Amino acid sequence: MRVQPPKIRTAALLLGLGLLAACGGKQTEVVAVPADEVECMARAMYFESNRSSRDGMVAVGTVVLNRVHSDAFPDTVCGVVGQPNQFAPGVMTKPMTDRGAPLARATALAVLQGERHPKVTRAKFFHAAWYNANYNNMHYVVTAGGNAFYEKRRAHLVTAPNPLPPLEGITPH
């Protein structure tokens, strides 16, 4: 039996999910997601976004999955979230103790089952909204949950060079 590389398995899973979604109908298919992937995603959401902002959590989750699907980053959620110097210090070890933890876990599951932030699109990066980054290749797509999300582009293709005003309340639930 030949084992497929993680990116091929991920692509096959996404293709299967797409085919299920294309079938239409009113029934919602529940996708099984490994518990460790939910926990890693929840940790990124919990420690990186305003813990009461579902939109911010979904945006962080969308960035994590954009990285998973990029050749420039690890192939798993836990690999991406656990990368050194990419997410909040202690993201993989600090306890999640307040009322934001259940929201982070529920939102992580929703994102891993297919929900995405509609404004994040292909963005793979974000920083605190208050931070003033002085680079000419940052194209901002949305600000949510206290973070400004952006794509890296060639300078002449950047049309939104500054963080956008915060936008909340656009993800369902």
Side-chain angles (χ1 to χ4, degrees), residues 100-124:
L103 175 63
R105 287 189 178 100
T107 306
L109 184 58
V111 168
L112 290 167
Q113 289 181 331
E115 183 176 351
R116 300 291 182 272
H117 194 289
K119 299 283 186 177
V120 170
T121 59
R122 298 180 310 239
K124 293 181 195 79

Side-chain angles (χ1 to χ4, degrees), residues 33-105:
V33 179
D36 63 330
E37 295 285 288
V38 175
E39 184 65 14
C40 291
M41 180 69 82
R43 291 181 154 284
M45 293 173 167
Y46 181 89
F47 290 108
E48 292 291 353
S49 72
N50 177 338
R51 293 179 182 130
S52 63
S53 168
R54 188 175 190 285
D55 283 1
M57 289 184 182
V58 173
V60 168
T62 302
V63 164
V64 169
L65 289 181
N66 287 348
R67 287 181 174 199
V68 167
H69 297 115
S70 167
D71 290 336
F73 296 92
D75 294 335
T76 66
V77 171
C78 293
V80 167
V81 174
Q83 265 193 306
N85 304 316
Q86 294 295 306
F87 291 90
V91 67
M92 299 298 279
T93 57
K94 287 183 183 177
M96 297 190 302
T97 57
D98 71 9
R99 60 188 167 100
L103 175 63
R105 287 189 178 100

Side-chain angles (χ1 to χ4, degrees), residues 14 30 34 57 90-91 94 133 152 155 158:
L14 290 174
V30 176
M57 289 184 182
V91 67
K94 287 183 183 177
K152 288 184 180 179
V158 172

